[in-house]
Amino acid sequence: MASPSPVEQSVKKIIAGHPNAGRDTLIPVLQEIQEEFGFLSREAVVAVGKELNLPVSKIYGVATFYNQFRFTPQGKNHIQICRGTACHVKGSLAVLEALKRELKIEAGETTKDGLFSLEVVACIGACGLAPVMNVGKNVHANLTTQVIPGILKQYEKQSK
């Protein structure tokens, strides 16, 4: 019998932190796994199923219901573009389209080089600065399609 992988060991440790872990602790367990690894890998989901005696399909069903869970790793520079009402009115759709065009990815994807990932969010909470996007912890405000290439180049340089 093969020894547990590092992912399986981490999953066991996380679940051990939840006494009497079961179906009712699934969401906090998945949140902790995602916090540790940055996303929910297939291996981690299978390990959770084994540890909690739950079908993998049930775990995926729960995880895909909530948009907080990711199944692919985020890029080094995770972009969140706001599509809330104020940002929408001020042109965030055009900014999103510029990001997709420049990065050659869709929302929810990561660039092949792993430098950028793109996420659409309902609201960032900076409505007075619309349209807005976060790149990691940095806020970029009053965006236009024209500034997107320069902002992305800035992060490319910092990442090299």
Side-chain angles (χ1 to χ4, degrees):
M1 184 179 233
S3 60
S5 73
V7 170
E8 291 169 327
Q9 290 172 353
S10 291
V11 167
K12 279 183 185 231
K13 185 177 175 187
I14 288 168
I15 291 174
H18 295 269
N20 304 315
R23 179 182 238 120
D24 56 333
T25 56
L26 181 58
I27 291 173
V29 164
L30 293 176
Q31 288 170 327
E32 287 181 45
I33 291 168
Q34 182 167 284
E35 191 173 310
E36 182 164 332
F37 295 104
F39 72 107
L40 299 176
S41 68
R42 178 170 168 60
E43 182 182 5
V45 171
V46 169
V48 169
K50 193 163 43 171
E51 290 298 312
L52 297 182
N53 199 26
L54 292 172
V56 171
S57 61
K58 288 274 189 214
I59 297 166
Y60 272 113
V62 168
T64 56
F65 180 79
Y66 296 99
N67 66 3
Q68 66 178 296
F69 294 115
R70 293 180 298 281
F71 298 99
T72 56
Q74 286 184 334
K76 186 172 184 180
N77 301 290
H78 183 65
I79 300 170
Q80 293 179 309
I81 179 75
C82 181
R83 289 288 293 132
T85 304
C87 287
H88 173 75
V89 169
K90 296 277 193 136
S92 69
L93 180 59
V95 173
L96 171 61
E97 293 302 322
L99 286 164
K100 290 170 25 177
R101 191 170 47 254
E102 290 291 321
L103 296 171
K104 297 177 180 60
I105 60 172
E106 294 295 318
E109 295 180 345
T110 301
T111 56
K112 285 184 171 63
D113 60 9
L115 277 183
F116 295 98
S117 53
L118 181 60
E119 177 184 11
V120 173
V121 296
C123 185
I124 287 176
C127 303
L129 304 172
V132 178
M133 75 176 179
N134 289 338
V135 182
K137 295 184 181 188
N138 301 318
V139 177
H140 296 272
N142 302 306
L143 294 169
T144 63
T145 57
Q146 292 79 17
V147 300
I148 294 303
I151 291 171
L152 296 176
K153 285 203 184 342
Q154 170 190 340
Y155 286 97
E156 285 174 0
K157 285 180 187 175
Q158 289 174 6
S159 297
K160 291 185 179 184

